[in-house]
Amino acid sequence: MGILNVTPDSFSDGGRHANADAALRRAQEMILEGADILDVGGESTRPGSEPVPLDLEWSRLDPILDQVIDMGTPVSIDTYKAEIARRACAAGAVIVNDVWGLQKDPAMADVVAEAGVHVVMMHNRLAADAGLDILSDIDRFFEISMELAEKAGIAREKQILDPGFGFGKTINQNFIVLNRFETLKKHGLPLLAGASRKRMIGAVLEAETEDRLFGSVAVHMTAMLKGAAIVRAHDVSPHADCVRMIEATRLERNPVE
C-alpha cells in the first residue's frame, strides 16, 4: 500500500504532493514501483495535528481522486469522516482506511457497508498511557470495531485490522506490538502494518524522517514475517522488492514461475 498524502502538513511528506500535478505524478510512480494499493489522504493524522473541516479535506481530494482511480490500481481513502468515505467510494475507492476503526464517526460503518468496500480498522487512542497493557487494549478496541462492522453488515472477508503503530502508544509500546504482532492473528482477519518513517524508528536510529527508509523496511518485514498481509509505506520500490523476496522464500521458488 503506497501512501499518497495530498496535505500540506503530513509528518513525513507534507506539502510535497499537495499540488494536483505532483500528486498524480507520485501516484503513477508508485504504481510503476510495485504498489498494489494507493492510499490517498486529505488530512494529516499525525500526533498533534489539527482536525480539518470536511469541505477542506474534500477540496484536496476532489481534483485528483478520479484520475488516480482511473490509473487502475485499487484506491484506499484514508479518512475517519463518513461523508468523505461516501464520496470517495462513489468515485471508485474500494477501501476505507479509518484510523479510528469505525469508532469516531457513528455513520462510518453504515457508509462502508452500503458501498460494499473493504475497511481497515486501526487501533487508536487519544493519548498514550505508559502503564497500559497495550495488547489487551488493542484486543478490546478491535472487538468493538468488529462488532460495529458486523452490526452494519460489513462482510467479514472485507475487514482488515491495523494495530496503529505510532498512534496513542509510547515508543516502547510500539515495539511490544511489533514483537507480539503474530498474536493479533487470533482475531481471524488480515493485518496491516504501517510504521513507515515513524518516530519509533527515529528514536532507535536517531535519524530524521527522511533517513528512516532502512528502519521502515526492517519493521515492516518483521511484521510480515509475523503475519502482516499488507504494509503501508512511503517508499514503495524497496518494500516491494522485500515483499517479493519474502514470498519467494515462503514458496521456496520463484513466485512468477
Side-chain angles (χ1 to χ4, degrees):
M1 178 184 278
I3 299 169
L4 183 62
N5 289 319
V6 287
T7 61
D9 58 345
S10 292
F11 83 97
S12 176
D13 53 0
R16 187 173 300 176
H17 308 123
N19 172 274
D21 289 339
L24 293 170
R25 282 195 302 272
R26 181 57 189 148
Q28 192 63 59
E29 287 173 357
M30 287 194 291
I31 292 170
L32 293 173
E33 290 173 0
D36 298 303
I37 305 165
L38 298 179
D39 190 46
V40 184
E43 175 178 356
S44 174
T45 52
R46 77 189 193 284
S49 60
E50 291 294 323
V52 170
L54 188 150
D55 288 344
L56 177 56
E57 183 176 350
W58 184 248
S59 73
R60 296 170 177 174
L61 296 165
D62 191 36
I64 61 104
L65 197 55
D66 286 341
Q67 294 178 73
V68 173
I69 289 167
D70 286 344
M71 292 177 184
T73 295
V75 168
S76 165
I77 181 68
D78 182 1
T79 187
Y80 57 86
K81 298 185 181 75
E83 178 60 20
I84 295 293
R86 185 192 65 77
R87 295 179 190 181
C89 291
V94 296
I95 303 171
V96 173
N97 184 9
D98 183 353
V99 298
W100 282 101
L102 304 178
Q103 298 181 39
K104 183 82 166 180
D105 189 328
M108 181 64 94
D110 287 335
V111 166
V112 172
E114 289 167 12
V117 298
H118 287 71
V119 62
V120 177
M121 300 178 290
M122 195 193 83
H123 171 268
N124 209 335
R125 291 179 55 81
L126 289 173
D129 178 356
L132 188 71
D133 181 338
I134 193 63
L135 293 171
S136 294
D137 194 71
I138 290 172
D139 286 340
R140 287 191 295 269
F141 188 98
F142 282 169
E143 292 296 336
I144 294 170
S145 293
M146 290 187 291
E147 183 177 353
L148 290 170
E150 182 180 0
K151 286 182 177 179
I154 301 171
R156 179 85 174 171
E157 62 269 21
K158 293 190 174 180
Q159 299 175 36
I160 301 161
L161 299 176
D162 176 356
F165 289 114
F167 287 82
K169 298 169 185 67
T170 66
I171 296 295
N172 288 347
Q173 286 172 340
N174 285 307
F175 285 106
I176 290 170
V177 174
L178 180 62
N179 203 34
R180 312 288 197 287
F181 198 90
E182 70 278 4
T183 67
L184 302 175
K185 293 191 290 184
K186 67 187 173 187
H187 295 289
L189 296 177
L191 301 171
L192 182 150
S196 186
R197 303 181 183 175
K198 288 188 176 176
R199 194 163 59 96
M200 63 183 290
I201 297 163
V204 173
L205 303 181
E206 299 182 348
E208 296 300 318
T209 307
E210 293 291 338
D211 297 320
R212 298 175 186 173
L213 167 60
F214 299 121
S216 299
V217 170
V219 171
H220 286 147
M221 294 309 100
T222 299
M224 279 203 70
L225 291 170
K226 290 175 174 285
I230 304 169
V231 292
R232 180 180 181 273
H234 296 86
D235 304 286
V236 171
S237 183
H239 280 89
D241 283 352
C242 289
V243 168
R244 289 166 64 190
M245 294 307 300
I246 287 177
E247 184 181 10
T249 303
R250 284 174 173 166
L251 294 173
E252 298 185 356
R253 61 175 175 80
N254 183 351
V256 301
E257 289 180 349

